[in-house]
Amino acid sequence: MASPAGSSPPGPPHVWADEAIEAVLGHLLRAGVILAAIVVAAGGARYLMEHGSAPPPGRLFTGEPVNLRQVGGIVDGAVHFRGRAMIMAGLLVLIATPVARVGASLIAFLEQRDRTYAALTAFVLAVLAAGLMGWAM
Amino acid sequence: MVIVPMLTLLFGVDFRYAVGASLVSVIATSSGAAAAYVRQGFTNIRVGMFLEVATTVGAVVGASLAGLISTSLLGVVLGLVLLYSAFVASRPRQEHIVGTRDPLAVRLRLDGTYPSLDGEREYHVQRVPLGFGLMFGAGALSGLLGIGSGALKVLAMDQAMCLPFKVSTTTSNFMIGVTAAASAGIYLARGYIDPGIAMPVMLGVLSGSMVGARVLTRTRSAALRAVFALVIGVLAIQMIVHGVAGRF
């Protein structure tokens, strides 16, 4: 905001800060998506080695096994290089990416001392956390 | 939006697994395209964050309801949403820029500027409560059917709130991923997300969206929109027929 007079268009000071935030958030998003894609692709390769000759899944709904419905079970399977769990771990990274973006926005609004938006963002983050823990209404 | 009809109608995948895979694809598209959009800097993060209060709560409500409704009825609802989307896509999108300020939008600091041919132009957000309500509906449909609800978001942001295209497109894309993330956990906990189905969908959609955001942003022609509307319309009717016949 300490730009020389006349060199920047007039406007409320928060405009520039918001743009800086957006740039950081963009990098965060890209990193998250790329990481998720790498993990899913690696898991996909393992999965095809393990189950590639089986018939395609999903014609009959049986629900996923309990260990693939929880973060703990997914991480446990992924560190043992089980294909299905590795894919799920990548999907968790993918799901976490927009959540991290909201978290970064919360920090940014707190730094701007924008209480209204910090509160709104904290509320959104709480809803996301509840959803991620599988708390349906 | 076409993931659920394609997986169920073409590949015979169970409706619930298709919804789970579709939610994953929605997050992948949104984040993949957002990474490309962000550099353009039109996203209004205040509008986005304010409306996310409505879309995330709506998504949790929708995902909760999805467990109680039969998949055939869900198929019919999805068909109707697709029909509406086909209708929206078949008509030229109209931009409404309003010069007057709305007191509520001013209090929430939602107004902003966007770059145009004549330099930075101001826009003033209108009808905040209506837009908020529509976004709750968009979030609920997203949670119910595992879709991005782009058509309803266009209605809320372009028509009700009078945001310029460049702002509404990028801002709604910003919100779609967050909205889908709100219901993804619920679907995961229910065992609707199958790695064998979600993996090819996620990788395919992600590569497609990264290429698409680069190639298609400036080449969206009327013909492309007509083809899109036609495909969506056909899929919509098939979904409704299938749903009414109870074949999901």
Side-chain angles (χ1 to χ4, degrees):
Chain A
M1 254 126 330
S3 56
S7 72
S8 66
H14 72 259
V15 169
W16 289 107
D18 281 0
E19 282 173 8
I21 296 163
E22 271 302 291
V24 174
L25 294 182
H27 291 299
L28 186 76
L29 269 178
R30 200 166 330 144
V33 170
I34 291 170
L35 178 65
I38 291 171
V39 177
V40 169
R46 279 292 297 169
Y47 171 76
L48 290 178
M49 283 194 276
E50 293 163 357
H51 305 280
S53 53
R59 279 167 200 278
L60 262 173
F61 182 77
T62 49
E64 292 308 302
V66 176
N67 64 323
L68 290 186
R69 297 186 189 199
Q70 295 158 347
V71 176
I74 291 171
V75 172
D76 185 54
V79 296
H80 289 97
F81 293 103
R82 283 190 212 110
R84 286 165 59 84
M86 284 171 72
I87 294 173
M88 294 304 277
L91 297 182
L92 283 182
V93 174
L94 182 74
I95 295 170
T97 303
V99 180
R101 194 182 189 190
V102 175
S105 307
L106 174 62
I107 295 169
F109 283 129
L110 284 173
E111 282 198 347
Q112 291 182 18
R113 293 178 208 289
D114 188 333
R115 284 194 195 161
T116 313
Y117 277 88
L120 287 175
T121 309
F123 177 81
V124 170
L125 208 54
V127 174
L128 286 169
L132 285 176
M133 285 186 264
W135 291 350
M137 285 184 172
Chain B
M1 179 159 48
V2 299
I3 297 287
V4 173
M6 291 223 300
L7 286 177
T8 54
L9 300 173
L10 259 64
F11 294 101
V13 170
D14 183 272
F15 193 88
R16 284 156 285 199
Y17 284 139
V19 169
S22 173
L23 258 186
V24 167
S25 82
V26 167
I27 303 177
T29 325
S30 160
S31 304
Y37 280 140
V38 152
R39 273 161 293 163
Q40 300 168 0
F42 310 132
T43 313
N44 185 325
I45 59 168
R46 276 162 216 277
V47 169
M49 202 49 78
F50 175 70
L51 293 178
E52 267 167 26
V53 171
T55 62
T56 51
V57 172
V60 169
V61 170
S64 305
L65 285 177
L68 308 172
I69 300 174
S70 80
T71 48
S72 288
L73 181 57
L74 289 178
V76 174
V77 175
L78 177 58
L80 295 174
V81 174
L82 287 176
L83 267 190
Y84 176 70
S85 307
F87 170 72
V88 170
S90 68
R91 294 187 324 161
R93 204 169 154 187
Q94 278 179 354
E95 196 165 39
H96 310 270
I97 308 277
V98 180
T100 54
R101 286 168 206 278
D102 179 280
L104 186 54
V106 171
R107 217 168 63 213
L108 289 165
R109 294 205 279 155
L110 296 176
D111 290 350
T113 59
Y114 70 105
S116 74
L117 291 176
D118 329 311
E120 292 280 307
R121 274 187 66 187
E122 288 189 15
Y123 59 89
H124 303 295
V125 177
Q126 308 292 311
R127 291 188 286 272
V128 176
L130 177 63
F132 192 82
L134 285 170
M135 292 311 269
F136 175 82
L141 282 178
S142 166
L144 193 65
L145 304 166
I147 57 175
S149 315
L152 206 59
K153 290 197 168 84
V154 166
L155 183 71
M157 300 178 85
D158 289 10
Q159 312 283 92
M161 302 179 80
C162 302
L163 289 166
F165 288 160
K166 283 181 176 169
V167 179
S168 68
T169 307
T170 53
T171 306
S172 90
N173 184 66
F174 166 89
M175 291 190 292
I176 282 171
V178 176
T179 309
S183 47
I186 297 172
Y187 280 93
L188 185 84
R190 275 200 204 124
Y192 281 26
I193 300 181
D194 183 90
I197 299 164
M199 178 263 293
V201 170
M202 182 255 192
L203 292 178
V205 156
L206 199 59
S207 19
S209 77
M210 283 181 157
V211 174
R214 256 162 249 239
V215 177
L216 286 179
T217 37
R218 279 163 208 86
T219 56
R220 177 168 287 189
S221 63
L224 189 65
R225 232 179 20 217
V227 171
F228 177 75
L230 192 71
V231 171
I232 297 285
V234 170
L235 287 175
I237 290 162
Q238 280 199 296
M239 287 304 283
I240 293 170
V241 169
H242 247 69
V244 169
R247 273 188 277 167
F248 282 120

